[in-house]
Amino acid sequence: MKEKLILVTGGSRGIGAACVKLLCAQGYAVALNYARNLEAAQAVQRECEAAGGIVHLMQADVSEEPQVMAMFAALDAIGLPLAGLVNNAGVVDVAARVDQMSVARLERMWRSNVLSSFICAREAVKRMSSRHGGQGGAIVNLSSAAARLGSPGQYVDYAASKAAIDTFTLGLAREVAAEGIRVNAIRPGIIATDIHASGGQPDRAQQLAPQVPMQRAGSAEEVAQAIAWLLSDAASYTTGAILDVSGGR
Ligand code: NAP
């Protein structure tokens, strides 16, 4: 398995970090992308390597094409064929109504959550598709239950960016299905990570937990399990699927 390289964007914290740790434990070599928080990325790397895993740190803001291109050049230099991509990096913003949203906010949302996933997938397909001489692979995109709920009064922009990820997943899955690549998405519900604090609501997961049919927030590790399954050969006939990991919400 250590000959199988998986790139996880936003792997330094939250769901991405849990995913890096699980994939390492399952024996993959993992490229951990992060944007700014080197300390958090190094902590994940140390934990994985102490358990015998292999983690390559890849700093890049995935909403910036030149940085994505440099990251994929660094991936190529590792010398292992890319077997999978987890398009996990994503952001929210503070609660606002649509009639309060600036273009700067909207552009950051599209770039961080949609453009980033498109350009990372584009580069991954160039390397994994049999059409380009690749050996196939799997892509997992992080959507959100917000894509179904719309997030009124909170962040309709975020919800719409994740709805774009759902459609992107369906279209790309069908586009590359005959080229050895499976493309699926996960729609997490309320998961206890730092993302809520970055949207100005550090207690959001605890506050909304009673509204979840399972009466609790999910953990990053529970989402990572679903991602790892979709990446694995156990999901060999699953493509274009959008899997809710949301406690019934
Ligand atoms: P998080 O705890 O805030 O972590 C975000 C990660 O993404 C960090 O590793 C961060 O890197 C990285 N990142 C952000 N923007 C980036 C960029 N432009 N380039 C590279 N890396 C970037 O988030 P999370 O809760 O784990 O969420 C992960 C994914 O799941 C997101 O797509 C999110 O929308 C989705 N999701 C989360 C929830 C939830 O309740 N938590 C629910 C539904 C969907 P640094 O450490 O360097 O900042």
Side-chain angles (χ1 to χ4, degrees), residues 36-109:
R36 284 162 291 270
N37 196 333
L38 172 64
E39 248 175 57
Q42 285 174 329
V44 176
Q45 183 187 40
R46 269 196 303 276
E47 187 177 328
C48 291
E49 292 190 343
I54 298 175
V55 174
H56 303 270
L57 296 187
M58 303 266 154
Q59 192 282 326
D61 177 340
V62 290
S63 68
E64 297 290 339
E65 185 183 25
Q67 296 189 35
V68 171
M69 298 307 282
M71 176 173 72
F72 273 87
L75 270 182
D76 292 341
I78 293 171
L80 291 176
L82 185 66
L85 163 68
V86 183
N87 265 325
N88 167 77
V91 297
V92 294
D93 211 322
V94 295
R97 287 169 45 97
V98 172
D99 55 16
Q100 298 172 310
M101 288 179 187
S102 67
V103 166
R105 169 182 170 134
L106 294 171
E107 281 181 346
R108 171 178 172 266
M109 193 63 68

Side-chain angles (χ1 to χ4, degrees), residues 12-13 15 35-37 61-62 88 143 158 162 189 191 193:
S12 50
R13 295 184 288 115
I15 293 167
R36 284 162 291 270
N37 196 333
D61 177 340
V62 290
N88 167 77
S143 172
Y158 172 80
K162 294 301 185 178
I191 310 300
T193 71

